Structure formats: structure tokens, C-alpha cells
Amino acid sequence: MEEQLSERSKRILEAVIEDYIATAEPVGSRTITRSHALALSPATVRNVMSDLEEMGLLTSPHTSAGRIPTDKAYRLYVNSILEVKNLARDNREEIRRRCRMAGKDLAEVLKETSRLLSSTSSYMGVVMAPHLGANVFHQMEFVKLSSRRVLAILVSQNGTVQNRLLETGEEIAQEDLVRMANYLNGMLQGLTIAQVRERLLSEMQSEKVRYDTMMARALTLSQQTIQADGAEIFLEGQANILEQPEFADTAKMREIFRTFEKKSMLLDLLDRSLSAGGVQIFIGSESNLLKMEGMSLVTSTYMTGKDTVGVLGVIGPTRMGYGRVIPIVDYTAKLISRLLEVE
Amino acid sequence: MEEQLSERSKRILEAVIEDYIATAEPVGSRTITRSHALALSPATVRNVMSDLEEMGLLTSPHTSAGRIPTDKAYRLYVNSILEVKNLARDNREEIRRRCRMAGKDLAEVLKETSRLLSSTSSYMGVVMAPHLGANVFHQMEFVKLSSRRVLAILVSQNGTVQNRLLETGEEIAQEDLVRMANYLNGMLQGLTIAQVRERLLSEMQSEKVRYDTMMARALTLSQQTIQADGAEIFLEGQANILEQPEFADTAKMREIFRTFEKKSMLLDLLDRSLSAGGVQIFIGSESNLLKMEGMSLVTSTYMTGKDTVGVLGVIGPTRMGYGRVIPIVDYTAKLISRLLEVE
DNA sequence: GTTAGCACTCGAACTTTTTGAGTGCTAATC
DNA sequence: GATTAGCACTCAAAAAGTTCGAGTGCTAAC
């Protein structure tokens, strides 16, 4: 596995990859000698390319075409050839400008961020909201809407609001609702949502509650409120990937769109980068999600509070401008973390 | 304009349209005589089709191809030929089953509805949330998150929740926030959001407020909360229209996706059907939104309360199964209205 | 080790041919 | 007079055939 690549081979591989990224066409030996100032003849390059093919870094779609980098080549490129530049001032400016999103609630900010990622990268932007579970409970509220409908509102310390319409079996007076909320707010102060969930369950078992209908009711209501935790995903800029020549084929397109419509697969992938932190790169087939064939994902984590971590990133074709995308993702993640910092 | 169409011509036009809807191919005289049991020879049908072409109801893409219905023909078809069947029991069942969305908040319900429309029609589903302005104010709440960040929550009678993070210039004590909320809740009881907006403005002018900093602050905060009114649109099932052969061309696809990414154009169109009520049909070019070329929109209105009206519908190619889609839209709208009824 | 030279390959692009669904018109038929 | 059979004509799409050129691998010379 430990391929010893000479400096020259690396330069040539780099050239192939960069040409391919730019043109999406198989690249041949002549093209390289012309565009990249290597003092080598096409024939020599050909020999080297032949070696690279042997190593599984290049393939040719057919005998008389140029060569295409494999996923393995991209990996190598990303890990040890690519030098990540700093973000151009223009880009930095633009990102920063568009990050002024005062007054919007978290969901809106994240959606806007996803859009931002998509438009600056010109691929798809994706942002996963932090798992609710890590949020810190702040307050709970019950609002009576009509005789048997109650709106429950759950506020976390980082400003996330979760609300849920509940049908109560029988009418509950507004004063009782307030009392319930107070009771719960006292009990749950400072816990994370995950802890809240446990606490509510254990509380419901306890003796003293069993004989106090109001408390029982309060617990039931709050339990219902807190149930759902489908981490939200904001995926924007799908139209961008229609632009990519490798997806010109309608059937492939459809496949991709269908895949992203059910967001579960994406969730898996994003969850995985959650634990690692920092910028991460998933290249095509590596993420044994066959569906991702031909696509790569560049992610970074961001924070909305001390312990609440989300993931954002860019999805594009494997043949993606990594050198450009990586700093975009990185910078955006940092900026958003700062923006959402709990002061 | 008042074309007098013989019964026979109508039958033939109907046949052309239905064949075209089924196959997306230009239909010729022979095809019709074969599939639709008209006791006529191809030659006769040809003559009639020629007349229909004269009237601007059919066109042929080129001399030696069959004919295609024009938008005008679709209009005629929808208005006076098509008989809208009742929804098949299966479909009704499915829609009803998927409408069990207890406990979800309004946004989720509407999104799910959009998805439902898309999957039962196999085109795109679209749901526009009612304009906030028509909602009836129910309650407002300020939650202090940190020293200078306040979360404002606005609850409407129909269960819509609007929330907004506000940065306050200086720290405000939680008790003051509660007092402010109480004051506002008293003042704004029973008004619609639109009225609330006016009221707040006029109140801010008034003498007595000018000297009461706390009231002034309360008004400012609530004003900020209520600002945004970008009617939300839920558009689902884009992948479905990739299936339609008329959009196989990538360039066209991209155009469409871009159009729907900015939702403003759609908003216009939906707003228009808002006032009319009942099932409405927009056919391609009629809605002088050039972008809609080749697409039709079937809408109906639904209600989330006495006065809050939203629009939902299906977007598909002009060549859409109107007979199937219309009852789907109609039935779904009714069901959702019932579901969201304020008891 | 590098390079020039050359025969060979094979998809893409362009032409040409074939095919067949469809038309419009005219004259015969009901 | 409306309907239909017959026939010449049209034209896009599919199939078959050409040409072109970028690219390769190999060998022999530098």
C-alpha cells in the first residue's frame, strides 16, 4: 500500500487531476506537457502515466482516450499533494457580508448558510443542525389555544425553539398550564435535552407523581413535546449540480435527486463527520454508500454553544475544486460558530 | 372567439389530448382511429384535425408528424370536455391515511402535505402557508437567553409560531420582559397580525409612550418580532418532474430548477389563486410568466382558521393528467382544512 | 533515462441511407 | 354533401457507413 511516488510522478498526477477538474475530459500526455511547464516530452509522461495506472491511480475509459484519476488518486491528492490556499480576500468579504443575519432564528440562519455555501462553491451546500439532544434546556411554555388544544414551546439556551401542537384529553385551565410549566422549568433547569428526556421518564415512574394527576399530566405533555429529534438538514443549490457535465445524463440526475430527497443517507454521512471535527473529506466510493458514486463531500463542524456541534459542508462531483472548496467550508464554519456563539 | 365545435370535433380533440397526455408523442390520425372507438376512417379524422389546427387548437411540430394540443386546447379541454371523476377509493384512503399528522406543528404539516401531493400526483407538490397577516394574534412571549439576547415568540390562534432572536441594546430584566409581554398581550388581544402591525406603529407615535421607556422598548421589540412576512412555500417532489420526457433536456431542467429556487415567481402565481378560491388551473403560457412555459399548475385553497387562507396544488407539465390531479388537489385541500380547523 | 517515430485503436462527429408514420389532395363511394 | 380509399410526398429518427484525430504502446535511436 505504501506507494513510493517520485516527486516527478506526483507533479504529473497533480497535473492530470487539475486538468481533469478543469475540463471534465480525460487528459492525455500531450495536453499535460503543453499546459503544465514540465520539461518532459509526451512520451516520458506517457510512461509515467502508465506506471500511475498500474498503481490504480489512473484509469482510461478506453484504449485511445486520455486518463482519468481514480478515487484513490483524489485521496492521495487531497492528503499529500494539494496545498490549501487561503481564501481569496473577495470570497472572504462576500462570505462575511452574507453572514450578517441579525434577528433571524437559528433555522433561518442555517438555511441561509447552506445557500451561501452553495453559491460560493457553486456546488450544493449542506448544513445539519445540531442534534437537539446536546442543547441545554432553557424554558418550557404551554399556551392554550382552544378548549383541548395546547401549544407546547421548548426553548433551548442557544435560541432553538421547538414547538408542538398537543391535543389534550380534557380541558386544562390556563393557570394550571402555567403552574405545570413553572414546575417543569424548575426541575429541568440546566439539563441537556437528552438528560431532560431521561429525567422525565424516571420522574413518571416515581411514586409521588403517580397520585398527582396534574403532575402526571405535565410530564406527559412535556414528554410529547420533546419526542422528535430528527436532526434537520438544509440542502441548497441542487440546481448547481445540474451544471456539472458528469450528470448531464437524466437517469443519473434523477438517481441523485431521489437520494437527496430522502435525507437519511446524508444524515448518516454527516453524523460520521460530527465526531471527528475539523475539515473532513469524503471521496465518492469511500463512503460505502454506493449512491455517492461520483460525488464528494467536504465538511467541517461548527458550534452553536459550548457542546452543541453541527456539521456543514459542500457536496459536489468527485472532480471538485478541492483547493477552492476546502477553505470556503473551513472559513464559513468558523464564521458561523462565531456568529452563533452564546454571548 | 366563440368557436362552435361539433360534438364529433370535441371527441376527436379529446382523443388527441388524452393520447398525448399518455404518450408525450405527437398523435396522428391513425393512432386515434385505432385506440378510440370512433367509427371513422383516418382520412375523416385528418380533415377534422386540420380544422382544429386552423382554430389554433392543435399544431404539428413538422409536416410529417402527428399533432400536439396547444395551451388553448388544454384550456378548452379542462373547461368543457373533461369530466372530473371522483377520486378512486384507494387514493382517498392513502391521502387520508397520510393525513394523520397529530402533534406536528403547522410548518411540518404543510411540508408533509406538499410531499403527499407530490407523491400521489407524481408531479411536484406545492403548499403556500397562509399569509401571517390574516392570522389572529394570540399571545406574545419574551424569553431572556443571555444578558443581551432575547427570544421573542409570537403565537397565533391557529397554532402558528413565529420566533425571532433579538439583540437588545442593554440588558432587560426577565420580570420586565414578562411585564412587557403582559401589557402587549392585553393590548393586542383578538387582533389580526396585520392589525397588530398597524396598532404597534400608531402606539409608538402616541404621547404617553414617548415618555415611558419600558413601553417604548416593548413596542420596539414586538415590532421587530412581527416584521417578516415572507409567506412560506413548501415545494416537494422536484425529482418527479425529472421523469417527464419533455424535460429530458438538461438545459430546460436547469432553467426550471433555477426558477423554483427563487420562490418569488411561484408566490405571485399562488397569490393570484388565493383570492379566487376553489380549484383553479393555470395552463402554461396563460400565466404570462414566460418561465412557466410547458408547465401547468392546479391549485385549491385551504383554511387554517376562519379567515386564514392558504393555497396548495400540483405543478406538472402542461401535458398533465388533469382528470386525475384535479380531484387529488381538491380532496387534499378539503382534508387539510378539516385537519387544521380550530376546534 | 529520455525521446522521436510509427503503427494501431477507437470514440466522436459527420454523412448517407433507409424506414415509416404522417400528411394533403383527389377521385370514387355511400 | 359527407366519407373514405388511394397515392404521392415529406421529413424526423434510426441505422449504417465514413472520416478524423487524440491518444496509446512499443521500438529503436539518442
Side-chain angles (χ1 to χ4, degrees), chain B residues 88-106:
Chain B
R89 157 167 268 138
D90 288 7
N91 275 327
R92 263 204 325 257
E93 261 314 306
E94 201 210 329
I95 294 177
R96 195 174 288 156
R97 190 173 46 71
R98 294 199 30 197
C99 268
R100 308 248 162 76
M101 324 193 194
K104 301 209 167 155
D105 70 25
L106 186 64

Side-chain angles (χ1 to χ4, degrees), chain A residues 250-261:
Chain A
T250 333
K252 204 162 220 168
M253 269 311 330
R254 210 177 319 169
E255 187 72 10
I256 292 176
F257 272 75
R258 288 247 178 268
T259 308
F260 287 129
E261 233 166 44

